[in-house]
Amino acid sequence: MAGVSLALRLGVSFIKFSSLFLLLAYHSHSFYLPGVAPQDFITGAELKVKVNKLTSTKTQLPYSYYSLPYCPPDHIVDSAENLGEVLRGDRIENSPYVLQMREPQQCKILCRITLNEKTAKEFKEKIDDDYRVNMILDNLPLVVPIPRFDQENAVVYQHGFQVGLKGQYAGSKDQKHFIHNHLTFTVKFHKDSQTNLARIVGFEVKPFSIKHDYDGQWKNENTRLTTCDPHARRAVTSSESPQVIEDKKDVIFTYDVAFEESEVKWVFRWDTYLMMADGQIHWFSIVNSLMIVLFLSGMVAMIMLRTLYRDISKYNQLETQEEAQEETGWKLVHGDVFRPPTNSDLLCVYAGTGVQFFGMILVTMMFAALGFLSPSNRGGLMTVMLLLWVFMGLFAGYASARLYKMFKGTEWKKITLKTAFIFPATIFTIFFFLNALIWGEKSSGAVPFGTMFALVFLWFGISVPLVFAGSYIGFKKPGIEDPVKTNKIPRQIPEQAWYMNPAFSILIGGVLPFGAVFIELFFILTSIWLHQFYYIFGFLFIVFVILIVTCAEITIVLCYFQLCGEDYLWWWRSYLTSGSSAIYLFLYAAFYFFTKLDITKPVSGILYFGYMLIASYAFFVLTGTIGFYACFWFTRLIYSSVKID
């Protein structure tokens, strides 16, 4: 009956997971809940254009907009930024661009600057590194529409416009740097037919490089240009002579504004921004991965059900008939299977940290799938993750203390301190080193001292006390009793076949969890390092559930084979089996670096591999903890289902 009971319990668990997969697959398309209320504009209302950081996929080092000698307003005002925006390197400031709702403008003069040797060099360096200028209007980022020739009427949006370009004059072989000093803005709006109010649903730009000329003396904004003149209806075109960047050259910055009515409603205005270039490939890959993992899950579940049912029935039948046969298989090690492992304190620490990570990721995924952490809420995702990490310290302390007490530990304060400091201190050390490199490059991506202090306060002021509170609760609660009695003297482990070698099984075990997520990983890396929006959080949540099931199943299967081989040292191996997927994650990150990115600066390369090392370390803790607790549940379940003298 015990075997039947176990089989039914495992079967019910598998059915629940399968049902969850199907439900999530049906509702996988995430919807958008706006982070801010819509703003209505009357005709002639002032539209405030804000400027953001300069970004480059070649250097991955952001800089503030006014780090280059662009035209400044009378007073530069920093916009309020959340913690996530600061950590992302966002520096949102006001600008001198003046727009009036539904009132087109042509050839508006912004300012004139005279380049010197230093400023000319700065512009040239930014052009060589493919830096792009980012602006914001009504919380919408500025984009450059690029037609796709492989699809009719299809457009791809690039975020921000290039600082400038490199080219040659006709008949010359010398490369020159040209600055984009004229911007043609297109503001798309959706008009309410009843109130005649309008809402902004698009913010596009087409940059030009033009060497402006004018007659007479320079009169600031009142100067009449000959290269573009609204009175003569002369507009800027790409056929004009470009503005070269050289020492002692005057550069005149101008802009046009056009308004275009759109049928797109305000609530759907982000849809065009979030369209991915390879959307069909993305959807097909995710569905294909889901089907493969579901098939493997079903096969593994059926094999485990049949094998375990046979084993438990055989063991219990032998006990009933009191046959004097020697025990074989996994029952033979029942007296050693729950023996505390080597470095049990460290295992408790990593198990507790993994629970903290799991809770943070799970809640973040739920909020993101519901649309609360959409790209319109800049920095919201990172802010929520940091705060959730801090508050999940309560569960980290509880989980590590419970496991520590099961190992008969008595110094709960020591294990609590390790849980509160080992992982965060490692991450903070790497982060501080990388931040020092960014600081040395004078990039806006460097975390300011005030923000660094805030991070330390969140760690010491909130996370550490919560870890202690959770640990105290977990240690004072009655301990977990082992289902079998542990022998005083450990038995000797027999020699294992090569395929049961710990290193081999650990590396093999990490392949399947990585295979379940590597397709989605490509899109995540692309959004991070190529500065694109990632928005399909519904699919990401499905992939996360697939990862959980895959880590649990592969760890349980390999743990079962290990116990059948009379090897009872399953504690650390169960953690490392699924946790080894982090090795493949880091190797894939290296492959992505050399095949998809164009990073040449040593500092940028160090930043990439430093941050990917942090991500891989976190992935190791997360997947290792999932595998460990799955194996822990499985081991206790099977040994409590057989009769043992």
Side-chain angles (χ1 to χ4, degrees):
M1 292 299 295
V4 175
S5 176
L6 176 61
L8 288 175
R9 287 151 73 183
L10 288 174
V12 169
S13 299
F14 174 69
I15 292 173
K16 288 181 178 180
F17 277 125
S18 301
S19 302
L20 179 61
F21 281 152
L22 295 176
L23 180 64
L24 287 172
Y26 183 74
H27 295 286
S28 61
H29 185 72
S30 61
F31 55 90
Y32 167 65
L33 293 177
V36 294
Q39 186 172 358
D40 296 312
F41 296 94
I42 62 174
T43 301
E46 182 177 331
L47 304 179
K48 297 181 179 179
V49 177
K50 298 181 180 180
V51 293
N52 200 351
K53 59 188 176 182
L54 308 174
T55 57
S56 168
T57 57
K58 290 184 65 175
T59 67
Q60 302 297 333
L61 294 170
Y63 289 89
S64 65
Y65 176 82
Y66 294 111
S67 63
L68 289 179
Y70 281 117
C71 303
D74 294 335
H75 301 284
I76 298 177
V77 180
D78 293 332
S79 298
E81 297 169 349
N82 57 45
L83 183 60
E85 286 180 295
V86 176
L87 293 177
R88 285 174 8 129
D90 286 345
R91 297 296 182 267
I92 302 174
E93 299 160 311
N94 61 330
S95 76
Y97 291 94
V98 179
L99 282 63
Q100 278 79 36
M101 187 65 180
R102 298 167 64 182
E103 292 185 359
Q105 303 177 39
Q106 186 177 355
C107 203
K108 292 286 292 184
I109 297 176
L110 208 60
C111 75
R112 182 187 67 171
I113 65 171
T114 301
L115 299 177
N116 55 37
E117 185 177 354
K118 178 183 177 182
T119 54
K121 181 181 178 182
E122 290 174 346
F123 272 117
K124 290 179 180 179
E125 289 177 347
K126 294 297 186 292
I127 294 174
D128 288 335
D129 291 332
D130 293 338
Y131 270 88
R132 306 183 74 88
V133 179
N134 295 279
M135 297 183 179
I136 301 170
L137 176 64
D138 191 35
N139 203 39
L140 275 180
L142 181 68
V143 295
V144 178
I146 306 294
R148 290 191 62 174
F149 298 102
D150 57 337
Q151 298 181 15
E152 188 176 357
N153 298 325
V155 177
V156 176
Y157 292 98
Q158 294 183 350
H159 304 294
F161 64 91
Q162 291 181 317
V163 172
L165 48 87
K166 293 172 64 177
Q168 301 171 342
Y169 285 115
S172 175
K173 296 182 180 180
D174 296 333
Q175 285 275 354
K176 295 289 185 179
H177 293 79
F178 304 100
I179 186 173
H180 283 140
N181 60 324
H182 180 86
L183 304 177
T184 299
F185 295 112
T186 300
V187 180
K188 295 184 177 182
F189 64 94
H190 181 78
K191 186 178 65 174
D192 190 315
S193 58
Q194 297 180 350
T195 63
N196 204 34
L197 296 175
R199 294 176 177 177
I200 297 174
V201 296
F203 187 35
E204 301 176 0
V205 70
K206 187 175 182 181
F208 294 91
S209 178
I210 176 173
K211 185 180 184 303
H212 282 300
D213 292 323
Y214 57 92
D215 294 330
Q217 295 182 346
W218 176 256
K219 301 177 183 179
N220 296 324
E221 294 83 1
N222 298 320
T223 305
R224 188 164 181 174
L225 303 176
T226 59
T227 45
C228 69
D229 189 352
H231 303 286
R233 295 185 179 180
R234 177 182 175 87
V236 174
T237 63
S238 56
S239 61
E240 305 288 347
S241 298
Q243 175 64 61
V244 68
I245 300 176
E246 289 180 353
D247 184 19
K248 299 179 181 179
K249 287 283 186 180
D250 289 339
V251 179
I252 300 174
F253 290 89
T254 57
Y255 65 97
D256 299 334
V257 183
F259 289 88
E260 180 181 317
E261 188 171 357
S262 174
E263 296 296 326
V264 177
K265 295 183 178 180
W266 186 89
V267 72
F268 300 115
R269 66 177 186 166
W270 275 89
D271 290 358
T272 53
Y273 286 76
L274 300 179
M275 289 295 292
M276 302 183 70
D278 300 318
Q280 293 182 349
I281 298 175
H282 179 86
W283 282 69
F284 175 77
S285 300
I286 295 300
V287 174
N288 183 59
S289 176
L290 177 64
M291 293 298 104
I292 292 175
V293 173
L294 281 175
F295 175 75
L296 291 176
S297 300
M299 294 295 293
V300 170
M302 292 300 297
I303 293 172
M304 294 301 298
L305 284 173
R306 294 185 61 182
T307 306
L308 280 174
Y309 177 76
R310 185 183 67 243
D311 289 347
I312 295 173
S313 298
K314 181 183 68 174
Y315 292 150
N316 288 339
Q317 186 179 12
L318 291 174
E319 290 292 338
T320 303
Q321 297 177 359
E322 297 180 355
E323 297 180 0
Q325 299 181 8
E326 183 180 358
E327 296 174 346
T328 58
W330 53 267
K331 186 183 178 184
L332 185 63
V333 296
H334 65 82
D336 300 281
V337 72
F338 293 108
R339 186 181 305 279
T342 306
N343 296 322
S344 58
D345 289 6
L346 191 61
L347 180 63
C348 296
V349 170
Y350 274 98
T353 303
V355 170
Q356 188 176 7
F357 245 110
F358 181 82
M360 178 195 73
I361 296 295
L362 180 63
V363 177
T364 302
M365 290 284 187
M366 294 173 62
F367 277 103
L370 292 174
F372 289 105
L373 301 178
S374 67
S376 63
N377 185 11
R378 284 182 304 274
L381 180 63
M382 186 172 294
T383 303
V384 168
M385 291 182 68
L386 281 173
L387 294 179
L388 284 174
W389 165 264
V390 169
F391 289 108
M392 288 295 169
L394 182 70
F395 298 96
Y398 180 84
S400 61
R402 294 294 291 162
L403 191 60
Y404 181 70
K405 188 172 184 178
M406 194 191 74
F407 290 151
K408 312 302 180 185
T410 57
E411 300 179 4
W412 69 274
K413 293 181 180 179
K414 182 179 69 173
I415 203 71
T416 303
L417 283 173
K418 291 181 179 180
T419 305
F421 286 99
I422 286 183
F423 180 83
T426 305
I427 297 299
F428 187 81
T429 301
I430 300 175
F431 175 75
F432 188 83
F433 171 73
L434 296 177
N435 191 66
L437 292 179
I438 301 174
W439 196 289
E441 295 293 323
K442 299 180 180 179
S443 168
S444 65
V447 178
F449 176 78
T451 305
M452 191 72 73
F453 177 80
L455 293 175
V456 174
F457 173 77
L458 289 174
W459 178 13
F460 284 86
I462 301 178
S463 180
V464 173
L466 286 176
V467 172
F468 267 88
S471 184
Y472 179 81
I473 296 172
F475 194 79
K476 294 302 179 181
K477 190 176 179 180
I480 304 174
E481 297 295 334
D482 295 338
V484 294
K485 186 177 180 180
T486 303
N487 294 334
K488 293 183 178 180
I489 302 177
R491 61 180 293 112
Q492 186 174 1
I493 300 174
E495 290 189 13
Q496 303 289 334
W498 65 271
Y499 54 84
M500 288 304 296
N501 183 275
F504 179 79
S505 61
I506 287 172
L507 290 176
I508 291 298
V511 172
L512 194 57
F514 172 76
V517 301
F518 88 95
I519 296 177
E520 197 69 17
L521 180 63
F522 170 80
F523 293 98
I524 295 175
L525 291 179
T526 299
S527 67
I528 295 174
W529 298 107
L530 295 182
H531 304 157
Q532 298 180 9
F533 285 125
Y534 184 88
Y535 70 102
I536 309 183
F537 291 107
F539 270 127
L540 186 61
F541 188 78
I542 294 175
V543 172
F544 180 62
V545 176
I546 292 174
L547 177 66
I548 296 173
V549 176
T550 308
C551 289
E553 287 185 341
I554 192 63
T555 307
I556 288 174
V557 170
L558 293 180
C559 180
Y560 174 75
F561 291 155
Q562 179 185 354
L563 295 176
C564 288
E566 301 177 12
D567 184 354
Y568 54 85
L569 302 177
W570 62 273
W571 297 94
W572 273 110
R573 193 185 295 193
S574 65
Y575 198 102
L576 298 175
T577 295
S578 54
S580 64
S581 57
I583 298 176
Y584 299 99
L585 172 61
F586 190 78
L587 292 177
Y588 181 79
F591 171 79
Y592 186 88
F593 177 85
F594 291 108
T595 58
K596 299 297 181 181
L597 299 181
D598 189 24
I599 294 177
T600 55
K601 288 189 175 182
V603 172
S604 302
I606 294 173
L607 291 177
Y608 175 85
F609 283 102
Y611 284 125
M612 292 311 303
L613 179 63
I614 292 176
S616 300
Y617 186 28
F619 194 71
F620 163 75
V621 173
L622 174 65
T623 55
T625 301
I626 294 171
F628 167 75
Y629 275 106
C631 191
F632 179 68
W633 166 80
F634 170 77
T635 307
R636 290 182 57 83
L637 189 62
I638 62 174
Y639 281 99
S640 63
S641 301
V642 295
K643 298 177 182 178
I644 298 174
D645 293 335

